[in-house]
Amino acid sequence: MKSTGTTPRRARLLPLAALLAGALLASQAHAARLGLVVGNDAYQNISKLKNAKNDAQAVARELEAAGFKVQTLFNATRSDFNDGLEAFLRKIEKGDEVVFFFSGHGSQPKGKSAYLLPVDIKQSERSVSADGQSLEQLVAELNARSRFTLAIVD
């Protein structure tokens, strides 16, 4: 082929296309895929569960296989749950995709929000709202911080 001093149109567009593709990938690269997985079996004051921890471990493995960075909490006390949740919330940025999975006991006292229960919960309605984690509040916090939130309660 003879050189005419001009670059064929396709050859000029390829670097531009590569640049645009790189920019798109870079903007997506900032988004993280984060998971918080909680499995509570060993309740101290209410009935123990048999498979919540195993279910949570299985979900954590699947999320990791799908590219999520997963934080796990097993048999979390009130303090463990609160500390773990706070640490997880600090990691989330606006463009992130977030999955929250909880397997354990929950409660919904007299028309109030549903609560996720730590393993050291006492057996009273007052303890549920004082020591449990409000599912409604948790989902609202996750939604406010991320681009996408999926909450699964088992």
Side-chain angles (χ1 to χ4, degrees):
M1 179 167 157
K2 273 181 156 180
S3 175
T4 60
T6 61
T7 307
R9 181 178 174 173
R10 186 167 46 166
R12 288 191 313 250
L13 291 178
L14 285 176
L16 179 59
L19 180 66
L20 289 174
L24 286 173
L25 290 175
S27 69
Q28 292 175 352
H30 293 334
R33 300 177 91 191
L34 304 171
L36 176 59
V37 175
V38 182
N40 285 350
D41 277 334
Y43 285 91
Q44 299 164 11
N45 303 304
I46 58 178
S47 63
K48 293 181 183 337
L49 297 173
K50 293 182 181 177
N51 292 315
K53 183 178 175 186
N54 291 339
D55 292 346
Q57 288 171 325
V59 168
R61 279 192 305 273
E62 292 301 318
L63 287 173
E64 287 171 347
F68 282 79
K69 293 178 186 173
V70 178
Q71 176 182 331
T72 57
L73 297 172
F74 299 122
N75 295 317
T77 63
R78 176 181 182 237
S79 178
D80 295 338
F81 202 164
N82 288 336
D83 292 346
L85 182 56
E86 285 299 319
F88 183 72
L89 289 170
R90 282 193 300 271
K91 294 177 186 175
I92 301 171
E93 295 184 11
K94 198 63 175 163
D96 293 346
E97 298 173 349
V98 173
V99 173
F100 171 77
F101 177 84
F102 177 86
S103 185
H105 280 305
S107 181
Q108 188 170 7
K110 297 182 185 171
K112 295 181 182 175
S113 176
Y115 289 86
L116 308 176
L117 304 182
V119 295
D120 58 346
I121 192 80
K122 303 280 191 266
Q123 202 167 5
S124 74
E125 186 175 323
R126 187 171 187 281
S127 290
V128 168
S129 58
D131 298 329
Q133 178 61 52
S134 166
L135 180 59
E136 183 178 337
Q137 181 181 349
L138 172 61
V139 170
E141 286 182 79
L142 293 172
N143 282 334
R145 295 171 185 256
S146 67
R147 180 179 66 82
F148 171 83
T149 299
L150 174 63
I152 303 166
V153 178
D154 176 25

